[in-house]
Amino acid sequence: MAETIDKNRMAQDLAKAHRMIEPNITRVIQIITSRESETDEPVKLLEVNPDTFPSGILPIAFGASPPRIPFPSVIVEVTEEEFGKIRDGNLSLPEGWLLGDTLYSAAD
């Protein structure tokens, strides 16, 4: 269970760092799977960025960088329109991936 807590904290820290680099990000949502408790399962973030180009679901993987970033990570950056399609079920995340907690929303 401790691994899940650490991974969730890492997701929050990565979301904050990415917003600092790209301040126009309007939403960051953690992507979850049934394997979240496993240490080799990466932290996965869906970032909604109106400044990106529509490219569908294109996960970009990053390796861990201990001790600061102890987990590998995957970022999926989408436009507002693509995010709407994901919510409506017209654009799918990879099999087994689900939208989890919203870590940041510009509307909040």
Side-chain angles (χ1 to χ4, degrees):
M1 185 72 170
E3 294 296 340
T4 300
I5 294 168
D6 291 341
K7 193 177 289 185
N8 290 337
R9 183 68 185 151
M10 184 85 278
Q12 293 169 353
D13 291 349
L14 286 173
K16 182 177 181 180
H18 289 195
R19 286 190 347 266
M20 291 176 70
I21 294 167
E22 295 191 51
N24 289 334
I25 290 174
T26 59
R27 186 179 310 263
V28 180
I29 300 170
Q30 189 169 3
I31 298 171
I32 57 171
T33 70
S34 61
R35 298 185 64 235
E36 289 309 309
S37 63
E38 298 180 28
T39 57
D40 64 335
E41 180 68 14
V43 172
K44 297 170 292 304
L45 301 178
L46 177 79
E47 299 181 348
V48 182
N49 186 344
D51 293 339
T52 196
F53 294 98
S55 58
I57 304 300
L58 184 62
I60 307 215
F62 299 90
S65 183
R68 195 165 156 246
I69 304 173
F71 299 101
S73 60
V74 174
I75 306 301
V76 177
E77 191 172 74
V78 296
T79 64
E80 294 280 352
E81 182 180 342
E82 288 171 321
F83 178 61
K85 289 180 180 181
I86 292 168
R87 284 192 316 205
D88 295 342
N90 296 319
L91 183 60
S92 298
L93 295 171
E95 186 172 339
W97 288 19
L98 303 169
L99 294 179
D101 292 336
T102 298
L103 304 175
Y104 170 75
S105 175
D108 293 342

